[in-house]
Amino acid sequence: QVQLVESGGGLVQAGGSLRLSCAASGGIFRINAAGWYRQAPGEQRRLVASIFSTGTTNYADAVQGRFTISKDGAKDTIYLQMNSLKPDDTAVYYCYLDAWVGQPPEFSSSWGQGTQVTVSS
């Protein structure tokens, strides 16, 4: 069973930076896609950024140019570098992973437990 452990959230002033990490474990054969969603109080969960096995990345318009998603295949870890943070970026950030897991490999979708990011003005 895949486990995702997120870290790196916290409190930062507007204009500051944070880097989120999502470490995956549990017999991962190959990552197909991974990314980050966020959910602010009273709002629905929204996609922030995604990265695919090809290396292709996608970003929400709200974070384009400020956030960068990357992955370390050797460590099965996904990162989200967040720069020029704004109060509107305040939310719980969740990582997700679509991967082939186990032997024989089976497709699995997993979510992390979430990490709080708070940006003060």
Side-chain angles (χ1 to χ4, degrees), residues 7-9 17-21 36 68 70 79-82 85:
S7 60
S17 297
L18 286 173
R19 189 176 82 152
L20 304 183
S21 299
W36 295 87
T68 303
S70 61
Y79 302 98
L80 185 68
Q81 178 66 43
M82 305 186 295
L85 282 161

Side-chain angles (χ1 to χ4, degrees), residues 9-63:
L11 173 64
V12 65
Q13 288 188 332
S17 297
L18 286 173
R19 189 176 82 152
L20 304 183
S21 299
C22 176
S25 62
I28 295 171
F29 178 71
R30 190 182 71 210
I31 295 175
N32 191 52
W36 295 87
Y37 279 72
R38 68 186 182 187
Q39 186 168 21
E43 296 186 8
Q44 63 182 2
R45 193 173 296 189
R46 299 179 186 277
L47 178 66
V48 175
S50 55
I51 187 166
F52 299 91
S53 58
T54 57
T56 300
T57 57
N58 289 320
Y59 297 93
D61 288 345
V63 307

Side-chain angles (χ1 to χ4, degrees), residues 8-14 16-18 85 90 116-121:
L11 173 64
V12 65
Q13 288 188 332
S17 297
L18 286 173
L85 282 161
T90 295
Q116 177 70 47
V117 171
T118 302
V119 184
S120 63
S121 57

